[in-house]
Amino acid sequence: MTVHFAFQNTYAALPDGFFARVAPTPVAAPRLIKLNRPLAVRLGLDPDLLESPEGAEILSGKRLPEGAQPIAMAYAGHQFGHFVPQLGDGRAILLGEVIDIDGIRRDIQLKGSGPTPFSRRGDGRAALGPVLREYIVSEAMAALGIPTTRSLAATITGESVMRETVLPGAVLTRVASSHIRVGTFQYFAARGDTEGVRRLADHAIARHYPQAAQAERPCHALLEGVIARQAELVARWLQIGFIHGVMNTDNTSISGETIDYGPCAFMDHYDPAAVFSSIDEQGRYAYANQPRIALWNLTRFAECLLPLFSDDKDKAIEEAQSVLAEFPGRFTAAYQSGLRQKIGLFTARDGDEALVQDLLDAMAKNNADFTLTFRGLSAAAEDAARDQDVRAHFADPVAYDEWAVRWRQRTSEEPQTPAERAGVMRTVNPAFIPRNHRIEAVIQAAVARDDYAPFEELIAVLAKPYEEQPAFADYANPPEPHQRVLQTFCGT
């Protein structure tokens, strides 16, 4: 039997200016590192066949599956605030689209599959480390319940790539609701190609916001939909301590999924100014800046749509500003709702926002671990004796003690039992996140020793982030001082 993908190719049916037709570059000796078998089943694929030698060849780009129409997508983007009119898929090739078992259309894309017309002097390849990082973090995000692209497979190519040093080459098979970005719209808008923007908007509406097609003003409804999803997404990032690291407009998906895991990281101790990306020298994409940057990116998206709003530019701008004004309220509502859940509140009352902010301020001042503080609160909500576990995260435990008095007074005003409160809190406060030092240890084992046992174990632990997993309790711990990872890097 042969590996079968029931490909559809709606994006490849758009005009040629939307992409370049290019096949993956064959690799020397592909070997499958990891197949995401549950995801394969959801995509209607046979995991046993994908784990065969033929499957490894397809997942590495050495063999093109039947029905694929490989393309590299065109897009532009603001990178750290500076506009680049042509970027595009420089090391990724979209094979096609499949309909999953829920009836949802999914892109299947190879990252690191060779040069394309958009490579800009790059080799189009990926090193093993960034492939493993994206596999780990994207699948952890999915398990945490955060909208995200997914990783179907990681394949080693049998070839080397040259970065700062010689590294093993690899390919990631990425799955996404689509790869349409704010930067995709910018590509056409920058060229004054209003018809291109219109075709792209129609495609995005049909694929992601079908209800917008029935609206009185479909393009306004499209903007409203993208704003709503981005507000919710970024609120969820902040609630789990996630820092994207490079929120360029070309890394902002209009589907509302987290996309492009380059220099991303989860915070250890809480710090609103935390930056891990080695290239973010000004802190543009720091943890607490992410909502502001999301709105900035959405404003760039709205600018692309202006010609579709009205022929009167002033009127179009006014209408766009009116829609964009919805973002702060949507974000704040989602963010505060999530924070109330994290401290076990079931209703919204005056003073709740200040109560949570005071905890965050105390955590920042006392270098308290973000994830473990909230996870500890989940236990303390059920048993006050567990306060000891939480206060141990604070440089000055009295700061927690003073806050906990107010917290318990507030929770006493609600009818839920301590067990009920703790049970809900455990569903939103993970015990396990993909900590930077753990990811780096996995990459080092794979690159230096071709040892994937640490990778497999970390993936298994992160698949159940809200469960206790006593046998793997060490994975919940923050790094020792000598293990701290202060910078992460792009995968290019």
Side-chain angles (χ1 to χ4, degrees):
M1 293 182 67
T2 188
V3 179
H4 176 66
F5 292 77
F7 278 129
Q8 299 183 10
N9 301 285
T10 62
Y11 202 88
L14 291 169
D16 286 346
F18 281 67
F19 50 77
R21 297 188 186 274
V22 56
T25 303
V27 299
R31 172 165 58 93
L32 188 65
I33 299 167
K34 178 70 174 176
L35 176 70
N36 189 335
R37 291 180 65 92
L39 180 57
V41 171
R42 295 198 67 80
L43 294 171
L45 304 172
D46 186 328
D48 292 331
L49 290 177
L50 285 174
E51 287 182 335
S52 69
E54 180 194 347
E57 290 186 351
I58 288 172
L59 295 169
S60 66
K62 185 173 184 178
R63 178 188 300 211
L64 200 61
E66 183 179 349
Q69 293 186 24
I71 58 173
M73 295 172 63
Y75 52 84
H78 276 90
Q79 300 194 315
F80 290 88
H82 302 288
F83 185 64
V84 183
Q86 180 169 300
L87 295 167
D89 289 330
R91 61 191 183 102
I93 292 176
L94 176 63
L95 295 181
E97 307 149 15
V98 298
I99 307 298
D100 70 13
I101 60 174
D102 296 318
I104 299 172
R105 184 178 299 275
R106 305 287 186 189
D107 281 359
I108 297 183
Q109 182 198 68
L110 301 181
K111 287 189 68 178
S113 51
T116 77
F118 304 111
S119 294
R120 297 184 300 166
R121 300 192 303 278
D123 62 9
R125 292 302 191 186
L128 178 58
V131 165
L132 296 183
R133 172 180 285 274
E134 179 155 353
Y135 193 109
I136 292 165
V137 181
S138 64
E139 287 307 299
M141 291 284 272
L144 287 163
I146 312 298
T148 179
T149 59
R150 301 289 303 275
S151 295
L152 176 61
T155 310
I156 201 162
T157 63
E159 300 176 353
S160 298
V161 298
M162 176 59 74
R163 296 298 182 258
E164 290 78 13
T165 183
V166 178
L167 296 168
V171 174
L172 180 81
T173 307
R174 182 162 71 180
V175 177
S177 292
S178 84
H179 287 83
I180 304 170
R181 310 149 187 270
V182 170
T184 319
F185 282 85
Q186 290 181 293
Y187 179 82
F188 296 100
R191 287 159 175 74
D193 184 357
T194 301
E195 184 55 31
V197 174
R198 189 184 309 278
R199 289 289 296 268
L200 186 60
D202 289 345
H203 181 86
I205 288 170
R207 184 159 184 174
H208 296 297
Y209 301 93
Q211 70 283 0
Q214 310 305 318
E216 182 179 347
R217 297 183 294 183
C219 289
H220 292 70
L222 171 63
L223 179 59
E224 289 169 354
V226 174
I227 286 171
R229 291 190 191 178
Q230 283 291 322
E232 177 73 26
L233 177 66
V234 176
R236 298 291 300 279
W237 287 357
L238 267 59
Q239 289 156 13
I240 58 166
F242 177 74
I243 303 165
H244 185 281
V246 60
M247 287 179 67
N248 295 331
T249 57
D250 54 294
N251 295 338
T252 301
S253 167
I254 61 102
S255 71
E257 291 180 331
T258 313
I259 192 171
D260 289 324
Y261 293 95
C264 61
F266 283 73
M267 287 193 298
D268 293 311
H269 68 273
Y270 176 67
D271 177 7
V275 174
F276 288 89
S277 170
S278 64
I279 56 177
D280 192 0
E281 297 176 354
Q282 304 302 316
R284 177 181 174 86
Y285 299 139
Y287 169 82
N289 279 351
Q290 293 178 123
R292 181 178 64 82
I293 292 298
L295 178 56
W296 194 92
N297 291 347
L298 290 165
T299 303
R300 308 288 79 75
F301 178 50
E303 288 169 353
C304 298
L305 299 178
L306 290 178
L308 309 185
F309 279 15
S310 173
D311 293 334
D312 182 332
K313 187 174 181 180
D314 290 339
K315 181 182 178 187
I317 290 173
E318 182 181 340
E319 292 175 0
Q321 289 174 335
S322 176
V323 180
L324 287 164
E326 298 175 7
F327 178 87
R330 286 185 176 274
F331 167 78
T332 299
Y335 179 59
Q336 293 299 333
S337 174
L339 288 181
R340 283 195 300 273
Q341 291 179 44
K342 288 180 76 68
I343 65 169
L345 300 182
F346 292 81
T347 58
R349 298 191 183 183
D350 290 343
D352 288 351
E353 187 173 338
L355 180 66
V356 180
Q357 189 59 52
D358 287 347
L359 172 62
L360 292 171
D361 291 344
M363 289 167 62
K365 186 176 180 180
N366 288 274
N367 289 322
D369 186 84
F370 183 85
T371 301
L372 294 186
T373 297
F374 283 106
R375 185 68 177 187
L377 279 180
S378 306
E382 190 168 13
D383 179 3
R386 299 294 296 275
D387 276 352
Q388 286 296 120
D389 299 335
V390 186
R391 68 197 305 274
H393 296 300
F394 287 70
D396 176 11
V398 174
Y400 170 72
D401 297 338
E402 293 174 345
W403 180 84
V405 172
R406 297 164 54 204
W407 174 51
R408 288 209 157 82
Q409 174 59 42
R410 173 65 181 86
T411 58
S412 72
E413 299 168 3
E414 297 188 332
Q416 286 76 20
T417 67
E420 289 171 336
R421 189 177 312 283
V424 172
M425 290 173 71
R426 289 190 186 98
T427 67
V428 296
N429 292 322
F432 301 96
I433 57 168
R435 295 196 183 257
N436 302 325
H437 68 294
R438 289 287 183 180
I439 295 173
E440 291 302 321
V442 162
I443 291 173
Q444 181 63 24
V447 172
R449 305 190 301 275
D450 197 35
D451 178 5
Y452 296 94
F455 171 68
E456 291 283 357
E457 186 166 277
L458 182 58
I459 287 290
V461 171
L462 295 175
K464 298 180 287 187
Y466 298 105
E467 298 181 19
E468 287 296 333
Q469 304 189 66
F472 301 104
D474 284 351
Y475 279 89
N477 293 334
E480 297 294 333
H482 70 280
Q483 296 174 313
R484 288 177 182 157
V485 176
L486 302 178
Q487 283 193 328
T488 52
F489 300 86
C490 283
T492 52

